[in-house]
Amino acid sequence: MRARSAGPGKAGYTVLFATVLALALLGVLVATRGVAIDGPLAEGESSGHYTEPEGVGDEAADAMTSAVRTEPGRPRPASARAARGTRTEPLPPSRPLEATPREPSPAIGPLFYTDQDEPAHGCTASVVHSRKGDLLVTAAHCVYTDGFRTDVAFAPGYHDGEAPYGVWVPTSIDVDPEWMTDRDEDHDVAFLRVRQVGTDTRVEDVTGAERIAFRPAADRPARVLGYPGEAERPLSCQSVVRRESATQLRFDCAGLPGGTSGSPLLTDVDAGSGLGTVVGVLGGKDEGGDEETSYSSYFGDAVERLYRRATAG
């Protein structure tokens, strides 16, 4: 709520301007659920594709050694790498409808931004199945703001300062050109192909991978799991994915703060592997939502084309 005022005196305008500027910046941080908004950027291609030079990724990986304890991660059995869906968990709505702490999932982790005094995470991403086994999905605003972020690193299963499945850096990032040109909330989705420095291991073989669904049905139970910006463990909530509009989904649950942008909306969670089907990522309308409701761009034809482009080659 804004307090009423009769207006500042002449000497108060400088203070007012500084306050408004600070509040505007805070508004950006809230709208983007806390993603870092400054950092090194690359132009990329007008199509929305960015190929990250190997040396740039190596620098990001090196920076992470000062921030986390890293284990390389070992390939998992094939039965644990797939979201099989043969025996799915029930996903009743959380009571109360509010996010609470949950154990990490190997295929979900924070995106760190390494061009800081100390690397810090500001978004969430998840591993999704692809032919090459090297794909993540997150929100576009997590990796592109007037340019592609070049200081991104992914730590799947992160907790308490430890990256048990290694640190992974992009080889490429893909966003829709509609996001690049207009910051179109209906295209707030990004795909990243990643690698681990010094190995040929595929991230999917280490962490497992969620399925991905295009043109998903609404009014289905779902789970969100994501990392608040300053938290060492994830939060989770279960609710129902509903249609906000033809191009947006909504997920009503309180307590999903900054840092949870890009978190997957998961349906059909397998009781054995804990993996499910991604039907959206927190972002979209208002670049994430507010204290009570989260949104996602609808995974329709445009997102499927983006996925196909990101996984080509």
Side-chain angles (χ1 to χ4, degrees), residues 21-22 24-41 113 115-116 122-123 141-147 149 151 183 287:
L21 184 61
L25 176 58
L26 178 61
V28 171
L29 290 173
V30 170
T32 59
R33 295 263 167 123
V35 62
I37 58 173
D38 58 343
L41 302 175
Y113 302 95
D115 188 51
Q116 317 286 325
C123 273
H141 74 256
C142 293
V143 293
Y144 186 96
T145 304
D146 298 324
R149 290 294 299 252
D151 63 336
R183 208 170 174 85
E287 293 183 19

Side-chain angles (χ1 to χ4, degrees), residues 224-241:
V224 162
L225 190 146
Y227 286 79
E230 297 184 358
E232 292 295 287
R233 285 178 172 263
L235 294 177
S236 180
C237 187
Q238 293 178 182
S239 186
V240 177
V241 177

Side-chain angles (χ1 to χ4, degrees), residues 22 85 105 122 126 188 252 273:
S105 171
S126 54
D188 193 4
D252 292 309
S273 67

Side-chain angles (χ1 to χ4, degrees), residues 152-183:
V152 175
F154 175 61
Y158 175 81
H159 64 88
D160 306 309
E162 181 178 347
Y165 304 101
V167 168
W168 305 78
V169 294
T171 59
S172 65
I173 303 174
D174 281 273
V175 300
D176 197 287
E178 294 283 351
W179 176 262
M180 294 178 67
T181 57
D182 298 323
R183 208 170 174 85

